Every structure is written in structure tokens, then in C-alpha cells.
Amino acid sequence: MRSHLTTALPLLAATPLASAQINKWAQAAGLKYFGAATDTPGQRERAGLEAAYPQYDAILADNDMFGSTTPTNGQKWLFVEPEQGVFNFTEGDITADLAAEQGKILRCHALVWHSQLAPWVEATEWTPETLTEAITLHVNTVAEHYKGQCYAWDVVNEALNEDGTWRESIFYEVLGEDYIKLAFRLAAEADPEAKLYYNDYNIERPGGKVNGALRIVEMLQADGIRIDGVGMQAHFVAGGSPTLDEQIEVIESYAALGVEVALTELDVRLDTLPPTEETLALQKEDYKNAVGACAQVDACIGITMWDFYDPFSWVPYTFEGEGAALLWFEDFTVHPAYYGVLAALKNATGLCASKAKRGMAQLFNA
Ligand code: XIL
């Protein structure tokens, strides 16, 4: 028996990915999906890297690896309504169509956000009435265009400062917190099937900003406006991420208000490059904790990474000198963190939580 095992091990190591797909294990742990966001071929971070597309596309196309996707940019205001009243769904449709063709769950992102806004929105002198009209046209048109295709919409993105106070966006300046109520009311009418999320970063560890997110959920509920979920973006730094317990506590605090939770933009960047054995080990631990926290709490229903292939990541463009935040290196070998993710998911299937039980039942009935 013993010698049999030792001869089998090198073989297993030589075929690491064949039986180790993430989404399959996520579903076994009772999650609805483990997915990866993706951008439009040829655009932004992907420009000039066309040689990598065949291998990249093959990994993304494997539903055992990634069961959902999100357009990293294509549904944002800048792209869908570049001029007032002029809509362009070309980029957003590329990812939505890919999801439909591959039978993947689609998370839609993002209806109202202060960033990547079309320039005209900030250049216009608004009254509360005219801005309400503009938001109404935008949310109605975009949500109706994608009606029936989105498992969830990030209705409002990043409305909070770090201390949990309201961010001074153009929307807040003109309408106060009412813009949030307006956006959720409109989205609920335009796409009754989609789960409506509030989405933000740094709301994964207890503190002022988490209290702000809880306040948003309560504010909408108090007015009888539907909100179904909180999206924890989960953009982390290796070695500086919230602990497993902190993340579990926060997920449970959202769940206590009756909403579901998802990790919506998971990545764990290294703040020094090149990667070392040590920094990659820290990253592995952080991925394991983030995925483990979600998999262990019933209310956390899915995990999306913000792409999966390092060269396509937003991180090096946004955080100077940082990177290697995803699970696949440039040469398509996987980070040690890939196995951290798998370990967390496998561990959750063994916990006998009600969610894992559902997941195992799903797997065996399939
Ligand atoms: C990022 C995209 O990945 C980049 O390509 C783009 O240049 C900037 O935005 N929070 C969000 C995402 O909600 O929409 C952001 O995506 C990353 C931070």
C-alpha cells in the first residue's frame, strides 16, 4: 500500500490541473459559482498580448474551472453611454455573449459608479431633477438591455469613504443618499430577476466602512426598496489581508440583515516584485482565507476573481511596482495560491455545513 502511494505521487504532481478545477470544487462546497472577470479582447491591459489568447481562452472556457464571468469594463457608464442618451453595448455584449455561449453565470457590473464615468456626466451642471432623469434613463436602458442575462447587478459601486461616510461623487453632491435609493428602485423595476447588490472594496474586515455598507442595506430596507446582496470586492495585499475570522464575522453581519454575500473582484497582489517563495506563500494563505471564509458561511454564494491571468490584471497599472495578483503566471503555470484556493474549497466540503451538504448532493445527482 505504502509503496503504491509513493509511486503514485510524482504522477499526480505531473498532471496537476486535470482533476483540480476550482469551480467544480466550489460547487461541491455548496457555492453557486467560482468565476473570473474578463475584458474585451484587444483592449486596455489585454492590448498587444494576443499571443496568449488561445491558452487563456481555453482556461476560461472550462466551466469546471470558472462557472461565471463578469465584464471588467464593458458595462460601465463610460462605455455604455459615452454621450448623453447615446448607448453602445458592443463591449458589454462581448462578455455577456461569451457567458451565454459557454453556459456561465453572468455577474453584471456596474450601473452607478463615480469612476469610469462618461466625461459628460461630470461636465454637466445638474439640478436634482435633471440628474434624476439622466440616472433613470441610464439605469433603465442598461438594465433592460441585459434583462434576463444577469444573475446579479452591482447597482451602486463604491459609494463610501474609508470611514464609512458618503463619498462626494457627482451623484452624492447633487442628490445626496437618494441617488442610491433611486438606482436600486429603478434596477428592481427594470430587471426583476436579477439580484441587486451594493459593491465596494475594503468592506471585508470589521470597521467604519463595513458599518457604512450595513447602513446602506438598512437604509434601502427601511424604505421598502429591494437589495439582495453585498459584494465584497476583496482586492487584497499579500500579508495584509483580513483574517479568516474577520471575514467570517463580516459576512455574517451582512447576512444578519437578510442579504446574500459574494466576493466579487478577488485578487491578492504582491507589493514587491518579483515574486519570491515567501511572498507567494503569504499570498496563498490570503487566498485560502478569503475563499475559506466565503465557503464556510451559508450566506456567501459565490466568488469572482478580477481576471485570472497576471498579464491581464489591472493591478500593475493601478498600484505602481505591485502585481502577480492572480492565479496564473505569464507562462500559464499556476501560483501556489491556486492550491490554497483548492484546499479551502475541499476543506469546506468536509465541514458538513448545510451548504456543503447541498453542494455534495448537487454533485452526486448531476
Ligand atoms: C478596473 C478594471 O479592471 C481596469 O481595466 C480599469 O482600467 C479600471 O477598473 N473596482 C471595481 C472595478 O469595481 O470595476 C475596477 O476594475 C477595479 C476596482
Side-chain angles (χ1 to χ4, degrees):
M1 207 49 209
R2 214 179 167 86
S3 62
H4 186 83
L5 259 184
T6 44
T7 52
L9 278 176
L11 261 182
L12 278 178
T15 51
L17 294 184
S19 59
Q21 292 98 332
I22 305 174
N23 184 50
K24 210 166 151 190
W25 280 103
Q27 290 187 324
L31 295 172
K32 288 192 202 301
Y33 59 84
F34 193 111
T38 193
D39 206 355
T40 312
Q43 300 298 314
R44 295 168 287 274
E45 293 94 344
R46 297 184 57 162
L49 301 178
E50 284 71 14
Y53 290 7
Q55 265 178 292
Y56 174 91
D57 290 345
I59 295 167
L60 184 61
D62 178 0
N63 283 353
D64 285 341
M65 190 66 86
F66 294 119
S68 77
T69 192
T70 303
T72 45
N73 285 290
Q75 293 175 322
K76 293 170 180 174
W77 199 309
L78 174 63
F79 301 102
V80 294
E81 196 185 356
E83 288 170 54
Q84 187 162 15
V86 178
F87 290 86
N88 180 347
F89 295 108
T90 312
E91 286 213 37
D93 285 357
I94 289 174
T95 306
D97 291 349
L98 179 138
E101 278 156 27
Q102 298 185 356
K104 284 177 161 52
I105 288 172
L106 180 69
R107 281 199 94 260
C108 294
H109 172 84
L111 290 171
V112 177
W113 186 28
H114 70 279
S115 185
Q116 290 182 290
L117 256 184
W120 63 267
V121 182
E122 282 183 318
T124 304
E125 290 280 332
W126 299 105
T127 65
E129 291 71 29
T130 57
L131 185 57
T132 297
E133 274 170 35
I135 293 174
T136 303
L137 181 69
H138 183 80
V139 173
N140 280 347
T141 311
V142 179
E144 273 165 21
H145 178 82
Y146 290 105
K147 186 175 179 172
Q149 297 181 63
C150 309
Y151 164 75
W153 258 115
D154 292 329
V155 178
V156 173
N157 198 30
E158 303 181 353
L160 296 167
N161 293 320
E162 291 307 292
D163 63 359
T165 56
W166 299 114
R167 183 193 286 275
E168 297 282 335
S169 65
I170 182 83
F171 304 113
Y172 184 75
E173 277 168 25
V174 178
L175 292 168
E177 62 201 46
D178 282 354
Y179 86 87
I180 300 175
K181 300 181 185 178
L182 174 67
F184 275 85
R185 254 197 213 108
L186 293 166
E189 265 171 50
D191 193 349
E193 301 293 313
K195 304 268 187 198
L196 307 182
Y197 273 62
Y198 175 70
N199 195 53
D200 211 331
Y201 60 95
N202 290 348
I203 57 161
E204 305 89 4
R205 136 191 299 145
K209 203 169 183 184
V210 166
N211 296 339
L214 292 166
R215 193 177 73 240
I216 289 176
V217 177
E218 286 172 329
M219 171 185 87
L220 293 169
Q221 290 175 337
D223 274 18
I225 301 167
R226 178 161 71 88
I227 173 165
D228 303 295
V230 173
M232 313 196 315
Q233 289 186 7
H235 291 296
F236 294 148
V237 183
S241 309
T243 65
L244 176 73
D245 288 347
E246 284 173 328
Q247 291 177 77
I248 289 176
E249 182 184 334
V250 167
I251 295 170
E252 283 175 342
S253 70
Y254 299 131
L257 298 181
V259 293
E260 64 178 44
V261 179
L263 307 192
T264 53
E265 306 183 13
L266 176 62
D267 53 24
V268 183
R269 59 189 188 266
L270 308 186
D271 59 6
T272 55
L273 293 174
T276 64
E277 220 172 283
E278 197 194 0
T279 55
L280 289 170
L282 290 172
Q283 181 186 55
K284 178 179 181 180
E285 190 60 22
D286 288 352
Y287 263 103
K288 196 172 159 202
N289 286 337
V291 172
C294 180
Q296 286 174 44
V297 183
D298 249 24
C300 194
I301 58 89
I303 298 170
T304 305
M305 297 188 50
W306 211 236
D307 221 310
F308 62 92
Y309 179 54
D310 286 337
F312 295 177
S313 169
W314 72 302
V315 167
Y317 298 87
T318 311
F319 306 95
E320 215 191 314
E322 305 185 34
L326 299 172
L327 294 182
W328 273 259
F329 289 114
E330 187 173 357
D331 65 359
F332 286 102
T333 59
V334 293
H335 289 218
Y338 178 91
Y339 298 100
V341 168
L342 281 180
L345 294 170
K346 289 181 184 176
N347 181 36
T349 62
L351 284 179
C352 281
S354 55
K355 171 152 114 175
K357 275 193 221 148
R358 278 201 308 274
M360 291 311 261
Q362 246 176 47
L363 205 66
F364 289 119
N365 293 334

